[in-house]
Amino acid sequence: PPSGSPPIQVAPPDYSVTDVVDLDTVGVADIPRVGGKAAHYGVLRHIGASVRVAHGLAVPVARYRQFLIDNGFDVRIHAMLAD
């Protein structure tokens, strides 16, 4: 952050949400449960008629995390970061 700016606060992930979420119900406050990209995409859906954004669903971070674990990607990522 620029000098004098407070550090950015990042909320921990919310792994309690496991159902896929309609983007029309997602906003910035939902970053801990659906991630930043999906949350901001949900915000774009409400900008107005001048901005056309396709309908979609958000995969909760809990499902993404489970995918990584089930396929061994978590171990591979950890190993890459350790180098």
Side-chain angles (χ1 to χ4, degrees):
S3 179
S5 297
I8 297 170
Q9 299 295 317
V10 178
D14 179 357
Y15 296 124
S16 68
V17 178
T18 58
D19 292 334
V20 175
V21 182
D22 187 317
L23 284 175
D24 285 337
T25 65
V26 173
V28 174
D30 299 300
I31 290 174
R33 70 182 183 133
V34 298
K37 189 181 294 183
H40 286 96
Y41 194 83
V43 170
L44 288 176
R45 297 265 307 149
H46 301 285
I47 285 182
S50 62
V51 178
R52 294 182 57 191
V53 179
H55 180 73
L57 300 170
V59 176
V61 294
R63 291 273 184 104
Y64 181 70
R65 178 178 181 232
Q66 195 59 52
F67 170 81
L68 293 176
I69 292 167
D70 290 349
N71 292 282
F73 295 127
D74 61 323
V75 175
R76 292 175 64 184
I77 291 168
H78 182 72
M80 284 187 242
L81 294 174
D83 282 345

